Amino acid sequence: MLVLISRSPTPDVPYWRGRRFLAVLDALAWPAILLIAIRTAPFGTGIVGLVVPSLALLVAARRLLRAVAWNHRYRFTTLRWGTPLVVLLAAGAGMKLMS
């Protein structure tokens, strides 16, 4: 028996002044960080170093289009991934201070 469960669509996020500008910054920042990480890698990246930048540019273009044209559907990546990273970094700094 095949059971399909559909999720309800996520509601639109509220719009506030300056949201579009911050969404554009967020949409371009994460692919740029990935590009910088690949370009400054201390080891040979091989074929990954050739493929990942082009994919990052495609992802950046898609995110930029959503941030500008469909801003009510854009979700900030920095809030989603940046908050857990900051918590982990703070926990690591706290453990380093305690030892």
Side-chain angles (χ1 to χ4, degrees), residues 23-98:
V24 167
L25 287 179
D26 185 68
L28 295 177
W30 288 94
I33 290 169
L34 181 63
L35 286 173
I36 291 169
I38 290 292
R39 298 294 292 169
T40 60
F43 49 85
T45 56
I47 191 74
V48 173
L50 298 173
V51 173
V52 168
S54 60
L55 290 177
L57 291 175
L58 287 174
V59 168
R62 182 174 179 229
R63 291 168 51 90
L64 184 63
L65 179 66
R66 179 174 282 188
V68 173
W70 298 294
N71 193 272
H72 60 282
R73 292 284 185 192
Y74 185 80
R75 306 275 181 200
F76 285 98
T77 306
T78 304
L79 290 177
R80 185 177 198 180
W81 295 103
T83 305
L85 286 174
V86 168
V87 168
L88 285 174
L89 287 173
M95 289 190 304
K96 190 172 185 176
L97 286 174
M98 295 187 114

